[in-house]
Amino acid sequence: MMNEDIVAVSLFSGAGGLDIASFMANVPVISSTDFDADCVETLKANEMFGNTKVFEGDLHNIDSDVFKNCVIEHNPKKFIVIGGAPCQPFSKAGYWVGNQTRRGINDPRATLVDEYLRVVVDIQPDGFVFENVESLLHPTNKVIVEKFLEIVEENGYTCKIVRANALDYGVPQKRKRLFILGTKGSFKSEEPRKTHCDPSKCDVLGLKPYVNVGEVMQGFDTDEYFEEYEVAKGGTYYNDLCQVPPGQNYKALTAWAGYPNPKFVADKRFWSFLLKLSPDMPSWTITAQPGPWVGPFHWNNRRLRAPEAAAIQTFPRGYKFCGSRRSVQKQIGNAVPPLMGKAMIEFVKESLE
């Protein structure tokens, strides 16, 4: 028996973004789970998960007792549940209709959000961190959040909804996410502690300036890290990409920007078309499945290498990913940036101490 002060049970672990965050917050992860075989291999390939039980499978088919038994085996003073449930499709069954919550928990048609709630209700952690897309607060989806809060509050949790931008926590990337944080204790402050801000406000707020991608991507622009995937040369829009200044997108090549002989019309393309990073700025959101000419591209007119994308997400340097290049991109793009997750987990941990 380890009898640690506080440990975490991770659901929808993916490549381990939120799990790494938990380790960073000194909350060891005792179990991780995902249905994707490559994600499971990724977790097992990294030393920090050496003492973590990793389960492969669909959460619909994993009994809550599996996680309860892990907790009993470790015998911690406190434990939390962490995870970012895949958000599509949202269920019209399960919890979100009517008040028969137990039927919702057991409904085989229920979504993965339902499954997260089912585990929380069944194993009664001292706190939890739930991550999702910001659009969960959109009026069409709001019923999900309302029912989520209703159920956890019935189970004795105090909650906070945090609309967070990864930039504020030292991640060199604009990435907005929604967190629902729950505790059976009491929150000691209003919100998770921000560490970074717009450089113009640093003196007033006493925080560090936003991190730029040039800082975290150093060392990867060598032949050693070359990938076939990165080559854009010879492609349909390669010459146009070369004309886009760092930190801008295709709109730099339109009449709107005063470009001579414009090839494109402003606002007729998706904003990330030919989007190019600048080393002196943070990145835009790293995506799981970028289209062929969707950025962000490297300022050297190529696609980002996997370790560069991972660095922008604040994965530890040298973290191993398993699977095809497409699978690795998906794992990195779907992850919660560890530094962002760390702030959320620390906030919940503090409420339990």
Side-chain angles (χ1 to χ4, degrees):
M1 290 198 196
M2 297 176 76
N3 197 27
E4 289 129 327
D5 285 350
I6 176 167
V7 299
V9 168
S10 168
L11 309 176
F12 314 108
S13 307
L18 205 49
D19 300 49
I20 295 164
S22 198
F23 283 114
M24 285 176 167
N26 293 317
V27 179
V29 179
I30 59 170
S31 74
S32 301
T33 181
D34 206 88
F35 76 99
D36 184 282
D38 287 345
C39 289
V40 168
E41 287 307 308
T42 290
L43 297 174
K44 289 179 176 177
N46 288 282
E47 278 180 31
M48 70 173 70
F49 293 94
N51 295 317
T52 304
K53 283 191 176 175
V54 181
F55 300 100
E56 181 180 341
D58 184 331
L59 195 59
H60 288 100
N61 305 321
I62 302 177
D63 195 276
S64 300
D65 282 347
V66 169
F67 308 113
K68 191 179 281 183
N69 291 337
C70 281
V71 176
I72 291 167
E73 186 183 323
H74 280 262
N75 192 29
K77 291 176 183 167
K78 302 273 176 78
F79 76 99
I80 63 172
V81 168
I82 61 175
C87 47
Q88 296 294 341
F90 288 126
S91 166
K92 290 187 174 62
Y95 277 131
W96 326 124
V97 179
N99 292 316
Q100 295 167 294
T101 56
R102 285 310 306 176
R103 195 189 74 177
I105 287 169
N106 296 317
D107 189 329
R109 297 167 299 167
T111 69
L112 294 166
V113 180
D114 295 318
E115 295 305 311
Y116 183 98
L117 277 168
R118 183 254 302 176
V119 174
V120 168
V121 170
D122 285 352
I123 73 175
Q124 292 287 314
D126 299 283
F128 64 81
V129 174
F130 175 81
E131 178 266 350
N132 218 289
V133 290
E134 202 186 27
S135 60
L136 199 60
L137 290 179
H138 188 273
T140 54
N141 299 326
K142 215 172 174 187
V143 63
I144 297 169
V145 176
E146 288 166 357
K147 290 302 283 184
F148 187 108
L149 293 174
E150 182 185 318
I151 290 152
V152 292
E153 284 167 5
E154 278 174 8
N155 278 273
Y157 294 95
T158 301
C159 296
K160 273 194 188 290
I161 294 177
V162 179
R163 299 175 84 147
N165 190 330
L167 279 175
D168 294 329
Y169 306 97
V171 180
Q173 178 189 180
K174 298 171 188 171
R175 188 183 189 92
K176 293 182 178 177
R177 284 295 182 270
L178 171 78
F179 290 87
I180 303 178
L181 309 176
T183 182
K184 288 201 169 176
S186 57
F187 291 115
K188 306 286 196 293
S189 52
E190 276 304 301
E191 62 176 9
R193 198 169 289 110
K194 293 176 180 173
T195 53
H196 293 68
C197 66
D198 186 290
S200 65
K201 298 176 182 172
C202 290
D203 289 344
V204 177
L205 298 176
L207 301 177
K208 297 174 183 174
Y210 289 146
V211 180
N212 297 326
V213 289
E215 294 175 44
V216 301
M217 285 167 60
Q218 280 180 355
F220 294 122
D221 197 23
T222 63
D223 291 347
E224 180 189 350
Y225 294 99
F226 172 80
E227 296 176 357
E228 289 290 340
Y229 168 84
E230 76 188 48
V231 179
K233 195 170 186 177
T236 315
Y237 296 109
Y238 177 71
N239 290 335
D240 303 305
L241 178 66
C242 293
Q243 298 301 310
V244 174
Q248 297 186 45
N249 64 1
Y250 81 95
K251 284 176 73 172
L253 311 183
T254 66
W256 170 86
Y259 190 76
N261 303 317
K263 183 168 181 181
F264 306 110
V265 178
D267 301 324
K268 292 286 186 185
R269 297 265 184 171
F270 196 59
W271 68 274
S272 53
F273 179 59
L274 302 184
L275 182 66
K276 189 186 287 187
L277 294 178
S278 163
D280 303 321
M281 292 167 58
S283 174
W284 290 270
T285 301
I286 297 296
T287 58
Q289 294 171 298
W293 294 97
V294 168
F297 287 87
H298 194 282
W299 50 90
N300 286 344
N301 304 311
R302 59 170 176 78
R303 294 181 184 90
L304 293 179
R305 298 168 175 182
E308 291 170 334
I312 292 169
Q313 281 278 61
T314 67
F315 276 94
R317 196 167 273 238
Y319 193 78
K320 298 183 182 77
F321 295 92
C322 299
S324 66
R325 181 60 179 77
R326 182 188 289 265
S327 172
V328 169
Q329 179 72 35
K330 193 174 174 186
Q331 290 176 57
I332 294 170
N334 279 335
V336 178
L339 277 183
M340 185 189 210
K342 175 177 179 270
M344 305 301 148
I345 292 169
E346 284 176 341
F347 184 68
V348 172
K349 181 187 179 186
E350 181 186 64
S351 76
L352 303 176
E353 292 171 340

